[in-house]
Amino acid sequence: MDCDKCGDEAVMHAAYSGLHLCEDHFTSSVDKRVRRRVREDNLVPDDATPDDPETWVIGLSGGKDSVVLTDILYRTFEKDPRIELVALTIHEGIEGYRDKSVDACEELTADLDISHELVTYEEEFGVQMDDVVEKDPENMAACAYCGVFRRDLLSRYAEELDADKLLTGHNLDDEAETALMNFLEGDVAQVAKHFDASLGPFGGGDSDSEDSNDGPRTRSDQDSFVPRAKPLRDVPEKEVALYAHLRDLPAHITECPHAEEAYRGEIQELLYQLEENHPGTRHSIMAGYEDLAALAADEFGASEEGDDGDEDGPELKECERCGSTTTRDICRKCSLLDAIHAA
């Protein structure tokens, strides 16, 4: 099949758009979607200057998504002195898996000549995921433990690296799955939190006000955390993998041996089937979900204030053990570590 843009041999067919694209036009289309998302989410603020640049920490796991995101952002901002990129890799302690991913991270960051920070569960928490899975004191899936620990380290080191934003490589499939899960669980507050945490555009210039009618609603300020963004979220997972292959990027494409998220797996299978039967379903889900999330954030947003001036929702405070921001006396991470070390 020939490319619809130039007539060269096509390397992919996007059923949702009907387009057949050659290698050059396909990789260019992925670049454009990521750069458009950067613009639409207003990731580069008006006040960023070469003298006062933005620092973006990228959660680089070595998998296809984070490697592709890092590569595109580097080429986009390589000559832009307003943006400084720092890659942050977390080693969970999974034998035969993460070591190869770390190798991919080190190869990529060396090739691109960007700063690379590596932190480990062993050094930070005194545990390795292989041991956590064996002990399993809370009778939970491995991903439940790992998610808590990873989020803590990403947030904490983003702060230590003085990051203005924390960027992760979530693709279209990831976000559509999360959207369906939140909707099916009926968790409107979580939908609002999703908008303010990573989906909503950043405020800037004269459109900073959430009540402005001149543009889309912007996310609420959350001073307790480094704000997150997901510039890859318009690109389907298979296209990310193809992009990594065509550009010969050092991605470690394999599944974690402890991966076991039963509910997400069911949602994933459902989404695959819907997309196969109705191309464009993922894009439609996210378009509608983001609109609904903005409405939910108006009602449940992090910066909503009551008549007495207090913010709605649970009070945020510091964990008595580690000082992390939490709604409890002891944060979830510290509670899990107590259980693991006691097992």
Side-chain angles (χ1 to χ4, degrees):
M1 192 66 68
D2 295 335
C3 174
D4 293 325
K5 300 288 186 180
C6 66
D8 287 348
E9 182 180 0
V11 297
M12 67 86 66
H13 172 236
Y16 56 85
S17 67
L19 288 175
H20 296 82
L21 298 175
C22 67
E23 178 174 341
D24 287 344
H25 281 104
F26 166 68
T27 54
S28 177
S29 76
V30 174
D31 290 341
K32 288 177 180 178
R33 277 175 278 175
V34 173
R35 291 165 182 167
R36 182 180 63 221
R37 176 53 61 191
V38 168
R39 291 193 304 272
E40 291 182 352
D41 285 355
N42 199 26
L43 296 192
V44 182
D46 296 337
D47 59 0
T49 66
D51 293 329
D52 186 21
E54 283 256 305
T55 298
W56 291 357
V57 170
I58 305 172
L60 179 62
S61 68
K64 63 186 186 308
D65 302 304
S66 63
V67 164
V68 167
L69 176 63
T70 302
D71 177 71
I72 294 175
L73 290 177
Y74 169 77
R75 287 184 290 102
T76 301
F77 294 103
E78 178 184 7
K79 298 180 180 180
D80 190 335
R82 298 174 301 164
I83 304 297
E84 294 182 355
L85 300 178
V86 179
L88 173 60
T89 299
I90 297 173
H91 195 311
E92 304 92 343
I94 303 173
E95 187 176 358
Y97 170 70
R98 185 53 74 196
D99 288 338
K100 294 181 180 178
S101 298
V102 170
D103 289 342
C105 296
E106 292 176 342
E107 179 180 347
L108 179 69
T109 53
D111 289 344
L112 302 182
D113 192 25
I114 64 175
S115 179
H116 181 218
E117 299 288 334
L118 174 65
V119 297
T120 73
Y121 283 9
E122 178 68 34
E123 293 178 352
E124 297 294 327
F125 304 136
V127 301
Q128 297 192 47
M129 272 309 299
D130 287 338
D131 297 329
V132 173
V133 171
E134 183 177 347
K135 292 181 178 180
D136 189 16
E138 299 289 313
N139 193 28
M140 302 191 307
C143 297
Y145 294 100
C146 201
V148 172
F149 298 152
R150 283 184 61 83
R151 282 191 296 272
D152 177 84
L153 289 181
L154 284 171
S155 296
R156 179 147 53 90
Y157 272 85
E159 290 183 6
E160 290 188 13
L161 293 167
D162 200 23
D164 294 287
K165 295 179 179 70
L166 172 60
L167 277 53
T168 59
H170 292 79
N171 58 52
L172 175 62
D173 296 59
D174 296 328
E175 293 302 288
E177 290 164 15
T178 298
L180 274 181
M181 290 169 67
N182 286 342
F183 181 76
L184 293 177
E185 290 170 354
D187 194 342
V188 181
Q190 181 61 32
V191 173
K193 182 179 178 182
H194 195 186
F195 180 90
D196 281 330
S198 60
L199 292 184
F202 288 86
D206 296 332
S207 61
D208 229 358
S209 172
E210 294 175 10
D211 298 324
S212 172
N213 294 320
D214 297 331
R217 186 195 192 280
T218 58
R219 66 172 72 186
S220 300
D221 291 333
Q222 299 189 46
D223 296 334
S224 299
F225 305 96
V226 173
R228 297 192 179 202
K230 301 170 180 176
L232 200 64
R233 73 175 194 263
D234 297 316
V235 185
E237 181 176 17
K238 289 184 178 179
E239 293 185 26
V240 176
L242 178 59
Y243 185 100
H245 171 71
L246 293 174
R247 286 191 51 80
D248 195 27
L249 297 176
H252 182 228
I253 304 178
T254 186
E255 187 175 11
C256 172
H258 299 314
E260 184 185 349
E261 293 185 273
Y263 186 43
R264 181 174 287 273
E266 291 182 43
I267 296 296
Q268 186 180 68
E269 289 300 321
L270 172 62
L271 195 57
Y272 282 160
Q273 192 63 51
L274 286 170
E275 185 68 31
E276 183 176 347
N277 294 337
H278 310 282
T281 294
R282 293 166 301 189
H283 293 84
S284 297
I285 287 173
M286 286 310 300
Y289 179 79
E290 290 184 23
D291 287 343
L292 289 172
L295 294 174
D298 280 332
E299 182 68 24
F300 297 96
S303 65
E304 292 288 324
E305 293 189 357
D307 294 337
D308 58 358
D310 292 332
E311 291 188 355
D312 294 339
E315 178 187 359
L316 293 177
K317 48 192 174 183
E318 289 188 356
C319 171
E320 295 177 358
R321 299 279 184 82
C322 69
S324 296
T325 301
T326 181
T327 58
R328 320 173 185 204
D329 293 331
I330 305 297
C331 72
R332 180 61 170 156
K333 174 205 66 183
C334 288
S335 296
L336 288 179
L337 289 174
D338 285 347
I340 292 166
H341 290 308

